[in-house]
Amino acid sequence: MFKVFSQRLYLRIWLAVVGGVAVLTLVVGWAWQQAEAHNARNNASPTSLAREMTVTDATGRVLVQGPFERIRRGEGDAPRFRIDGADGQTYFLEMTPRVGGAGASNGRHGPPGHDWAFWLRPPFGFLWLLGLIGLVVVVGVFPIIRRLLKRLENLQRGVQRFGEGDLTVRVATEGTDEVADLARQFNAAASRIEELVQSHKSLLANASHELRSPLARIRMGLELMGGDASVAKAKREIQRNINELDQLVDEILLASRLEQPGVDVGTVESVDLIGLAAEECARVDADLEVQATEGVEVPAIAKLVRRAVRNLLENARRYSHGEVSLLLSREGDMAVIRVQDIGPGVPPDQRERIFEKFYRLPGASERSGGVGLGLSLVRSIALHHGGSVACEGRLDGQPGASFVLRLPVQPGAAH
């Protein structure tokens, strides 16, 4: 816990102030003590002993005469002196305390152990005052530092939310100091980035939508080419490329809609994953293994979940050198769809990057099929339903890849 507190900037500044005040108090106290010790040594110097005191009677006869030294204070303000007489004897002269408001009778000039005023006189009074001032400074600067750095914490949270993908986040701009200026610059940069991203998404969606018209014309022209055997191979190649372009357009349009908040992409309903998985496995000739003891239903948009499962199965079939299997199970409140293939697999350092848009593994561009959007779309669908997707190794340790899609089964998980 102390480590967490020490990482807070406002606490570090406040502790620096506290440390400064403490060091100042110690240094001043030490200097005062040295000054008091110096004064005590001066009072006990031979110069002070060179002075003489003379005590005479009423006739003027000298009773005691010799050098004296003030050795201590008595009770209250009563001083005591030692006189070294000319006759070789040592005499002591002690005055009685004052009588009245400053006397011992009011209890203000008694011994140090019973006199509170003793602790208020120098040097102790000065130290008490210095400590009190230090305490006031320590307590007083805390809310000031806390209020100043509270805005930095708000800015930090705003930057964190912006980095997590919420491009609409803005921070409050209070004051006219450097923190407020930094907040204004962040808001301006965030607005600009949001405009650029929205413009990019709009351009991509519009361009993808406009591609449908030339694709339709190409299909029509392909049909008009007739069934001549000399052009059959060319027609099949053209048809394959048309299907690939059509799939790319569909995935770009769907991805752009999923990334725009508030866009209606379908109705949430209860989706039976066992039936859906069985249908999709039949399309690509994949094995289905249900490890759940009861039905697995998730609140989701059926067409989106179907697209996610289909993309995972088609991706596995594209790169697999053997069978493709789908394992359906339930772990707590999550439905788990695990698609496994037998193939080259995915290197551990690439298992996160393959979910980026248009990213392919090195050397994958020469392989047939795939445009680099399928896995990215699966992740967007998973996040849209409050789930996740990840790439792992096969459970049995064989060469190949295992893509794990997790979707919440509790009601209200989709958003």
Side-chain angles (χ1 to χ4, degrees):
M1 181 178 295
F2 177 78
K3 182 178 180 180
V4 175
F5 285 158
S6 63
Q7 294 175 350
R8 297 291 186 180
L9 183 59
Y10 74 90
L11 282 177
R12 293 167 65 181
I13 295 178
W14 183 69
L15 289 175
V17 174
V18 172
V21 172
V23 171
L24 177 64
T25 303
L26 293 175
V27 170
V28 173
W30 176 81
W32 182 274
Q33 184 181 15
Q34 294 298 317
E36 286 291 316
H38 179 72
N39 292 336
R41 287 194 298 269
N42 288 341
N43 291 336
S45 63
T47 304
S48 62
L49 294 177
R51 299 174 59 189
E52 290 190 351
M53 180 179 290
T54 302
V55 180
T56 61
D57 58 10
T59 61
R61 184 170 59 91
V62 175
L63 301 178
V64 177
Q65 184 178 16
F68 72 95
E69 177 186 3
R70 185 171 181 171
I71 57 176
R72 73 168 178 84
R73 287 181 176 270
E75 295 183 359
D77 292 332
R80 189 181 188 191
F81 300 90
R82 185 185 70 184
I83 306 173
D84 296 327
D87 55 357
Q89 299 292 325
T90 300
Y91 302 89
F92 294 93
L93 175 64
E94 184 172 347
M95 299 181 181
T96 59
R98 296 190 185 95
V99 179
S105 59
N106 57 16
R108 295 194 304 174
H109 295 285
H114 302 83
D115 186 5
W116 293 106
F118 173 81
W119 299 102
L120 300 179
R121 292 193 299 269
F124 300 104
F126 178 79
L127 295 179
W128 280 110
L129 180 61
L130 189 63
L132 180 61
I133 294 175
L135 180 63
V136 171
V137 171
V138 167
V139 175
V141 299
F142 182 82
I144 299 175
I145 297 175
R146 186 70 183 96
R147 183 177 182 276
L148 172 63
L149 297 181
K150 183 71 174 179
R151 293 183 293 154
L152 281 179
E153 292 183 358
N154 294 335
L155 180 60
Q156 177 191 15
R157 286 192 291 267
V159 172
Q160 181 178 0
R161 288 177 53 195
F162 187 83
E164 292 172 351
D166 186 4
L167 302 183
T168 62
V169 66
R170 301 293 183 271
V171 296
T173 56
E174 303 176 1
T176 58
D177 54 8
E178 292 83 354
V179 177
D181 184 60
L182 181 60
R184 283 189 291 269
Q185 293 182 21
F186 167 77
N187 290 340
S191 299
R192 181 58 178 163
I193 293 175
E194 183 182 15
E195 292 175 2
L196 292 174
V197 171
Q198 292 298 333
S199 175
H200 171 73
K201 291 180 180 178
S202 177
L203 176 63
L204 191 61
N206 292 334
S208 302
H209 181 74
E210 293 300 325
L211 281 174
R212 290 188 178 277
S213 296
L215 284 175
R217 292 193 294 268
I218 294 174
R219 281 199 183 92
M220 184 178 297
L222 193 61
E223 294 297 331
L224 295 176
M225 290 176 65
D228 191 350
S230 62
V231 295
K233 183 177 181 181
K235 286 180 64 176
R236 287 194 298 270
E237 180 64 21
I238 294 174
Q239 186 63 50
R240 187 185 68 82
N241 285 276
I242 290 175
N243 294 337
E244 185 175 332
L245 285 173
D246 197 40
Q247 180 184 1
L248 174 61
V249 170
D250 287 340
E251 291 183 345
I252 290 176
L253 289 174
L254 181 57
S256 63
R257 296 185 67 188
L258 287 174
E259 292 177 352
Q260 295 180 8
V263 176
D264 183 16
V265 291
T267 303
V268 177
E269 56 183 310
S270 179
V271 179
D272 180 13
L273 290 183
I274 297 179
L276 186 148
E279 295 174 2
E280 294 302 318
C281 286
R283 288 184 66 258
V284 297
D285 191 22
D287 297 333
L288 174 62
E289 180 181 350
V290 179
Q291 298 178 340
T293 57
E294 55 185 9
V296 182
E297 297 183 353
V298 296
I301 301 173
K303 64 178 182 180
L304 295 183
V305 176
R306 184 179 296 275
R307 171 60 70 88
V309 175
R310 180 175 300 179
N311 284 2
L312 291 178
L313 287 171
E314 290 180 349
N315 181 77
R317 175 57 66 195
R318 183 178 300 115
Y319 298 109
S320 180
H321 302 325
E323 65 177 14
V324 175
S325 60
L326 188 151
L327 283 66
L328 181 60
S329 62
R330 180 169 174 174
E331 298 177 358
D333 293 334
M334 303 295 288
V336 181
I337 301 173
R338 184 182 294 271
V339 178
Q340 299 186 131
D341 62 64
I342 299 177
V346 181
D349 59 341
Q350 300 287 326
R351 290 177 179 175
E352 185 64 26
R353 293 205 62 190
I354 58 176
F355 292 101
E356 299 176 4
K357 293 182 178 64
F358 300 105
Y359 179 79
R360 298 186 188 187
L361 291 174
S365 58
E366 288 79 17
R367 296 171 182 165
S368 60
V371 294
L373 267 179
L375 294 179
S376 173
L377 188 58
V378 172
R379 169 159 288 184
S380 297
I381 294 173
L383 294 177
H384 186 80
H385 290 86
S388 63
V389 64
C391 178
E392 303 173 356
R394 288 179 57 95
L395 294 178
D396 54 11
Q398 296 185 36
S402 177
F403 289 86
V404 185
L405 173 63
R406 290 181 170 85
L407 297 173
V409 297
Q410 66 268 24
H415 58 282

